[in-house]
Amino acid sequence: MGTIIGLIILAALDWYLVRNTGLHIHQLISKKYAEYLSDKKSNK
């Protein structure tokens, strides 16, 4: 039962992100990670 509730929560979170940012969860994470890496290189 907990697995189903978890999947529903993840689906709702993904739907919310797509509606507001146009990106799915994995796309948002990879974008933020790329920004982090570019900032890290800029600070050197």
Side-chain angles (χ1 to χ4, degrees):
M1 187 69 182
T3 304
I4 295 171
I5 293 170
L7 288 174
I8 291 171
I9 291 171
L10 281 175
L13 180 65
D14 189 52
W15 173 78
Y16 175 78
L17 283 174
V18 168
R19 227 177 95 207
N20 288 331
T21 64
L23 299 173
H24 289 278
I25 293 173
H26 63 279
Q27 293 169 326
L28 185 67
I29 291 171
S30 63
K31 179 182 173 186
K32 293 291 182 186
Y33 186 66
E35 289 174 2
Y36 167 75
L37 288 179
S38 67
D39 287 346
K40 194 173 178 182
K41 288 180 182 177
S42 299
N43 290 339
K44 284 187 175 182

